[in-house]
Amino acid sequence: MNIRSLGGSKYWLMLKDDFTHYRTCYFMKTKSEAPAKIESYLRLVENQLGRRVKSLRSDNGTELKMDKLGIFHTFTNVDTPEQNERVEREMRTIFEAARAEIQADGLDERLWAEAMNHAIFTIN
């Protein structure tokens, strides 16, 4: 994002469960926080559902090593959103919904994280 959120975040990470299509979003101040957020999500899923995540698909943007967790990690090619088009399209939809909400209500642009949370909550 071009502007930091009220909480100081500049990046966002969306994780989607392929079975339930439930989306979870994390906001980060730096990209280096992504591996910790993903591991936190994996622990949350395991504790809440009593099931282990078996595979993870990412756009090769993080340095997360899933080998140590016993998770099959597949990658799409870098800069090819066509290989992960469903999630890319959803991320664009969420971003545009948040932007429309901010513009329609005349809100401060620093509220982008809250608007994105609202859009994800509505879609879920």
Side-chain angles (χ1 to χ4, degrees):
M1 301 302 286
N2 296 333
I3 299 171
R4 291 202 179 270
S5 70
L6 288 179
S9 298
K10 189 170 173 104
Y11 303 98
W12 62 293
L13 171 72
M14 186 180 77
L15 299 163
K16 181 181 175 184
D17 179 16
D18 257 353
F19 181 72
T20 62
H21 300 287
Y22 188 82
R23 295 143 203 92
T24 304
C25 189
Y26 293 101
F27 299 100
M28 305 171 295
K29 294 179 182 176
T30 62
K31 283 186 178 182
S32 62
E33 295 176 40
K37 299 290 184 185
I38 293 171
E39 287 183 14
S40 171
Y41 174 78
L42 295 174
R43 282 194 305 275
L44 175 76
V45 168
E46 186 175 332
N47 288 334
Q48 293 298 317
L49 302 178
R51 302 185 135 220
R52 294 196 47 131
V53 173
K54 303 219 181 345
S55 69
L56 177 73
R57 183 179 184 110
S58 69
D59 64 355
N60 212 2
T62 65
E63 297 297 324
L64 184 64
K65 302 293 183 204
M66 303 316 287
D67 300 353
K68 65 181 180 180
L69 300 174
I71 296 173
F72 184 67
H73 194 180
T74 58
F75 300 98
T76 60
N77 291 328
V78 179
D79 295 326
T80 54
E82 300 85 11
Q83 291 187 345
N84 201 9
E85 64 184 90
R86 284 186 303 168
V87 173
E88 294 289 337
R89 189 170 44 242
E90 278 193 36
M91 290 175 71
R92 186 174 53 238
T93 300
I94 290 166
F95 177 74
E96 289 174 357
R99 188 173 63 191
E101 183 178 344
I102 287 171
Q103 289 179 351
D105 293 339
L107 301 173
D108 186 0
E109 288 185 7
R110 292 179 299 157
L111 292 169
W112 64 264
E114 286 76 10
M116 289 180 111
N117 262 336
H118 181 260
I120 290 170
F121 178 80
T122 302
I123 292 171
N124 278 340

